[in-house]
Structures are given as structure tokens and as C-alpha cells.
Amino acid sequence: MADIALTRLPSPWKGLFAALGKLEHPEELARLWYMEAVESQYGHCPVWSQLLRNLAVEDPVIQEMQLTFKPRFLLLSPNLQRLFLCFLQQHVSSILDCDLHHFVCVVKQAVDQFSEIRELLGKLSKSFGVDHLVTDKNYPDVDTITYPDVDTILKHPRYLCAHLVNSKENSGQSGQDYVPMETEENLESEEPTCSDMKMHQYYGKDRETEEDVIIVVEDDEEEQSILCHRGLKQVVDVKSGSKIMEKEADYESVSLPPDIQQKIIILRERLMCETEPQSSQSSQTFNEMEFFFNCSPEQVDEICRTLDTWSLSEIAVQYICQKLISLSDSLSYNNCVHLLSNVLYPKVKGLTQTASRLLASVVMATAEKFPKQLIDSVLVQVVSEEPGSPEADLICRVIKESQTDEQRRYFMQRLRNKTVKMNENFLSVLQMVIDTKTEINEEIISWIVALLTNSATEYSKNLKYGKVVLAVVDNYGMNLSQTDLSNLSVLIDKHGTFLKKTIGTTLKKLKTGKT
């Protein structure tokens, strides 16, 4: 039975299980195999989502003279199961949370209550940032899950602050934020238990060193909510007609302990003294940033308001980001996201000309150390807000030079759950992702096609738009659904550049192949 299961695994991953099946040093052999597979310039890089979805498929088996169905993962030998889960734990940061959560839920429901495998699955479920999933109304199947975005936490600050205060009182933990413990009932339940809330979210255990990915609710008021939470409001200048930021006088502040207030003063003085870029190899050690590690995300926002991080110089921003990078192991995922959204986001969003060498180096270094945090706090937010050319150029550089395929897929998944405003600079970002030959799933491809179709009339004579359409057809043609092909046919009928004939010919070939 185990041999049959191995033959049904995706071809790019069979080498991993061959390594894990060795009698001597299987863990080391698996590590070497993975390094070679990821870094190899030949063949296709193994895709985690393809493997996890494959292992979650339920195959028919005969058990006690009866036909039943089990996840393919459980048809592997017990030792192979254990070794794979340990290997999975080591690479959890490279895997999309929706794929990992789906795999854990499916397998966990089919294993014994007190088995070793269930215990390993429990540990695995605590390693990724999603404790609950919100199912898209348009896609009720488990395989099409939408994520609440990090900005969800900013959408109802008053509710969350009250929740944290009540949790502290009930728990008796005055010095730390209390978070409800994740239970198996919560993890495995199919329906949200907080039906009276517009957003559905759970809080995981011990987030000090784990990535907290908070999931996306579709809402057109996200930008105003974020600004409100930062003590800002967006208004229109009557003379120029442009949007400007003003301080909101009546935002609800979060109280800060006296010791933190004192440390804010010290940090503020330090930031104001920055007159030249800090060397990343500086031998000096400063501890001004350490108080961020034990704060709640709401306190981080309040500290940033007090520091007026939106007005900091690029040198001061570089100083903060360098300290975050050097002390990254101590900073929780959510706190990092909130810090970057208050410190780095304003600098990227406010670009009116090509980013300076200093700012570009800060963004690239942050992308290397905090890839997902930067996506959640800066990249997705900027791209969804009609980015300007300097912003798009900087983001394209991050996508091309810093991100891995897994991170690009994560970026597209998060962007898919936003209300994106189409413009030429967004097309540049989209073109860059496609040009990297990143494999993306069918849901994201359909989302891209829908965006392009909705803009077909407005961009009918836009050459950059036509190049993106051609790139989609050339790179993802075999993964286009019949609906996508129909939408693209409608699109190309309206198109007016010299690329129309090339795209139309390719579409006809794809339609013929599909039928």
C-alpha cells in the first residue's frame, strides 16, 4: 500500500521521499536533496502546494473487509510519515498557509486521538500563522480559501483593544497579552464560532517567534481604517483636488506604561540625531528597539504615533530597519508588520521620484529578512492603491531580485484578496511577476483574467496592457479554464494594438486543444 502511494506522488517530489526512505541519515539526505532541488537550474522547482494537495487526496482502501477512504499521506509507512512531518516543520516558512492548513486539517481528522502523528500535526499547526480560515462565498470548496489580511487587525481597533483588556482581566496576566488557546475543536470546526463578527479570526498560541498571518476580509474601506488607526484621516485639498493626510484629533489612543514612555523619549532622541547612514556592520549595540518585542500590536501603533514615524527621515528609517533585522529572532510577526506599516510604508507610498539609493537598499534588506511581513505591510497595500511609477519600479525590483517563487505566490494570493485599482503601474508589477515564470494556481490566474477583462475597453489601445495579456496567454495558457478563454476572447475583440492578431491566434490554438 505504501509503495502504491509513493507512485502517486508528484514527480518533482519523489526524490524527497526516496531520501527519507533511506536507512541511514534520512534527515540529512532529505535536506541535501531539497537544497539541490531548489537551487538547480534544470527542471522544475518542486512546488509545496502541489505536494500537500496530493497528500491530502483521499484514496480508496480496504480496511477490515470494508471499503473506506484515507488521505494518501496515511498510506505511507509510519516512519515515512513521521520523517516527512519533521521535514515539513523545518520548511514551514516557505509554504502558503492555506495549503498547510488544508493538509493538517484533512490528515488530523483521519488519525487516532493519541497517536504520534496527531501530536506532530498539532505541533505543525502551531507553527504557521493561520488558526482559522474564512471560505470565499464564491468558492465554498476547501481548496479555494481567502485569507484575512494583516489590515484586518486595523479595521476594528476599538473592538480589539477592548478584547485585549478583558482578556487580561480574565486571565490575571497583567504583564503579557493573553490570547485564547487554540483547541482542536476550533481548528477542525467547519463553521466560524463568532457569527456575529464581520471578520472571523482566531488567535494562536505563543507568537513570539512564529509568523502570524492574519487573514483578509474583502472591504473597500481598508485604507481609511488603517489611516484612522494611525491617528490620520484622508481629505481632499479643495485647491489642488489631491488627497492629503491630516491628523485626526479624536482617535482613541492606547495607554503606554511609564517605562515604555521613557524609552520612547530615548529612541526619539536617537532618531533625531541620525545625520548619516548607519553601517550594517556597526560594532556598537543599541537596545532602543527592544521594548517593541513585548508590546501588543496596538501599542506598537501608539508608539509609532508618538514617534511620528510618518515624518522620519530616510536615515532614521534605515536605523530602525537595521535594528529590526539585527534583532529579528526576538520580534513577533504581527509586531514586525505593524512597525513596517508605520515606518517603511509611508516612505514607499510617498515616493514622487525614483527611490533614493538609501531607501532602495533599506527596502531590499528588509525584503530579504522579512519577506512576508514586507508583503503584508507595504507591498500589497501600495500596489492595491494605484501605485505611481516610482513605487511600482521599487516593488518590481523587490519581486525580481529578492523574492523567491513561493514569496511571489504569497504576494499574489494576498493581492487577490484586495480591491485592486487598475493602472499602468499595476500592469508593470503584474508583468514582472509573470516574467519570473512563477507558477501560480488557477484561482489567481482567473482573478488576473477577470481584472484584465474588466479593463478591456479602457485599455484597448494600451500596448503595456496588450503585453500583459499576451504574457498571461503564453505562460499560463494550459491552466486557463473555459471561462477564462471565453473572457479573453471577449477582451481581444475589443483590443486595438498590433498584438491583437498574435493573442487571437494563440487563443484559438488553446481553445482547440481544450476541446
Side-chain angles (χ1 to χ4, degrees):
M1 190 179 297
D3 293 338
I4 296 176
L6 288 173
T7 62
R8 295 173 179 172
L9 296 176
S11 297
W13 286 99
K14 289 183 179 179
L16 171 64
F17 289 87
L20 291 174
K22 299 295 184 182
L23 295 178
E24 296 183 0
H25 312 297
E27 297 93 341
E28 181 64 17
L29 291 173
R31 185 185 70 82
L32 294 173
W33 175 88
Y34 186 73
M35 287 177 59
E36 182 180 354
V38 171
E39 297 175 2
S40 175
Q41 300 298 314
Y42 306 97
H44 295 285
C45 180
V47 180
W48 278 108
S49 59
Q50 182 187 26
L51 174 62
L52 293 179
R53 299 294 167 128
N54 181 283
L55 290 173
V57 171
E58 293 188 332
D59 287 334
V61 295
I62 301 296
Q63 189 173 21
E64 297 180 355
M65 302 301 293
Q66 289 187 344
L67 177 65
T68 185
F69 292 86
K70 280 190 173 185
R72 187 167 296 161
F73 171 76
L74 295 180
L75 302 185
L76 302 174
S77 67
N79 189 54
L80 207 52
Q81 294 176 29
R82 179 183 61 79
L83 289 171
F84 174 72
L85 291 180
C86 293
F87 180 82
L88 202 60
Q89 181 81 49
Q90 297 170 7
H91 299 279
V92 68
S93 61
S94 304
I95 307 170
L96 284 177
D97 292 307
C98 56
D99 297 322
L100 190 56
H101 191 281
H102 173 63
F103 170 77
V104 170
C105 286
V106 170
V107 176
K108 202 170 185 181
Q109 290 174 356
V111 297
D112 296 334
Q113 184 73 22
F114 302 105
S115 67
E116 181 186 9
I117 296 301
R118 190 180 185 89
E119 184 177 331
L120 290 172
L121 289 168
K123 291 179 180 179
L124 192 61
S125 67
K126 299 169 193 173
S127 299
F128 58 94
V130 178
D131 300 314
H132 186 66
L133 296 176
V134 181
T135 304
D136 193 326
K137 292 181 291 186
N138 299 322
Y139 302 97
D141 187 73
V142 176
D143 288 346
T144 52
I145 295 171
T146 35
Y147 269 80
D149 185 288
V150 169
D151 295 335
T152 301
I153 194 169
L154 305 179
K155 298 189 65 62
H156 299 282
R158 291 177 175 82
Y159 166 79
L160 288 177
C161 289
H163 175 78
L164 289 171
V165 171
N166 292 335
S167 298
K168 285 183 180 180
E169 291 174 354
N170 294 335
S171 65
Q173 298 178 0
S174 58
Q176 301 179 3
D177 290 331
Y178 169 75
V179 289
M181 300 295 281
E182 178 189 271
T183 63
E184 292 176 4
E185 181 180 354
N186 288 340
L187 181 64
E188 297 179 3
S189 61
E190 295 180 358
E191 297 295 332
T193 59
C194 303
S195 58
D196 58 326
M197 295 171 59
K198 182 180 179 180
M199 60 177 180
H200 305 289
Q201 60 183 26
Y202 281 75
Y203 300 86
K205 303 177 187 177
D206 189 9
R207 300 298 192 188
E208 276 303 306
T209 59
E210 298 170 0
E211 293 188 350
D212 289 10
V213 180
I214 304 172
I215 291 193
V216 168
V217 275
E218 296 181 357
D219 196 326
D220 294 332
E221 301 176 355
E222 291 183 29
E223 182 178 356
Q224 289 294 338
S225 299
I226 296 169
L227 296 175
C228 177
H229 193 62
R230 292 168 178 158
L232 299 168
K233 65 178 179 179
Q234 190 178 73
V235 296
V236 178
D237 189 330
V238 177
K239 294 182 180 180
S240 65
S242 60
K243 293 181 180 179
I244 59 175
M245 305 298 175
E246 285 188 357
K247 288 285 184 181
E248 182 72 67
D250 57 351
Y251 72 87
E252 185 172 332
S253 63
V254 178
S255 61
L256 298 173
D259 61 324
I260 290 183
Q261 293 177 6
Q262 184 62 36
K263 291 174 181 177
I264 291 174
I265 296 173
I266 297 173
L267 178 58
R268 179 70 178 177
E269 292 175 353
R270 178 66 187 167
L271 294 175
M272 293 300 100
C273 290
E274 293 301 319
T275 56
E276 61 183 37
Q278 283 283 319
S279 171
S280 59
Q281 283 80 32
S282 175
S283 60
Q284 294 178 300
T285 301
F286 301 99
N287 298 318
E288 292 95 332
M289 300 290 294
E290 289 186 352
F291 66 93
F292 280 105
F293 302 157
N294 297 320
C295 294
S296 69
E298 291 72 32
Q299 287 177 322
V300 171
D301 287 325
E302 183 64 28
I303 292 168
C304 290
R305 277 196 290 264
T306 305
L307 289 170
D308 194 15
T309 52
W310 280 56
S311 65
L312 291 177
S313 67
E314 288 186 359
I315 296 174
V317 168
Q318 182 202 37
Y319 177 81
I320 291 177
C321 291
Q322 283 184 346
K323 291 300 136 186
L324 293 182
I325 291 170
S326 64
L327 302 170
S328 59
D329 293 339
S330 304
L331 189 65
S332 71
Y333 190 94
N334 266 352
N335 282 9
C336 183
V337 167
H338 280 247
L339 263 173
L340 293 178
S341 68
N342 281 286
V343 174
L344 203 51
Y345 167 81
K347 293 301 176 188
V348 178
K349 181 58 182 173
L351 284 173
T352 56
Q353 56 187 4
T354 302
S356 67
R357 184 178 299 178
L358 175 61
L359 179 60
S361 66
V362 171
V363 172
M364 296 302 291
T366 306
E368 291 288 341
K369 195 65 179 180
F370 304 111
K372 288 187 177 180
Q373 293 94 323
L374 185 71
I375 289 170
D376 287 331
S377 61
V378 180
L379 303 190
V380 168
Q381 193 66 29
V382 171
V383 172
S384 66
E385 298 169 341
E386 286 189 285
S389 180
E391 300 163 354
D393 290 344
L394 182 57
I395 291 172
C396 285
R397 181 179 171 186
V398 173
I399 293 170
K400 181 180 180 180
E401 299 178 16
S402 175
Q403 290 184 341
T404 64
D405 284 355
E406 288 290 341
Q407 291 159 9
R408 294 185 193 106
R409 278 190 287 272
Y410 181 80
F411 171 65
M412 294 302 294
Q413 178 68 43
R414 308 297 275 180
L415 196 59
R416 173 179 173 263
N417 294 302
K418 286 280 190 179
T419 302
V420 177
K421 299 175 182 178
M422 177 71 75
N423 71 356
E424 283 202 14
N425 299 312
F426 169 76
L427 289 172
S428 297
V429 174
L430 201 57
Q431 180 82 53
M432 180 57 68
V433 173
I434 297 171
D435 286 347
T436 60
K437 309 294 183 182
T438 300
E439 293 184 21
I440 54 180
N441 62 39
E442 293 180 3
E443 289 77 25
I444 295 177
I445 294 173
S446 296
W447 169 73
I448 294 173
V449 171
L451 278 177
L452 295 172
T453 303
N454 292 337
S455 307
T457 301
E458 182 182 357
Y459 288 86
S460 61
K461 298 186 182 301
N462 188 294
L463 185 57
K464 183 179 290 188
Y465 173 88
K467 288 180 178 179
V468 172
V469 174
L470 180 60
V472 169
V473 173
D474 283 343
N475 286 278
Y476 305 120
M478 298 307 298
N479 295 323
L480 293 169
S481 66
Q482 290 292 350
T483 302
D484 295 335
L485 291 172
S486 299
N487 288 336
L488 287 170
S489 297
V490 173
L491 178 157
I492 204 60
D493 287 341
K494 300 177 182 179
H495 199 63
T497 75
F498 69 91
L499 294 173
K500 178 174 182 175
K501 183 176 180 180
T502 303
I503 299 171
T505 302
T506 307
L507 280 176
K508 287 180 181 178
K509 291 180 180 178
L510 289 171
K511 283 186 176 181
T512 303
K514 293 281 184 179
T515 55

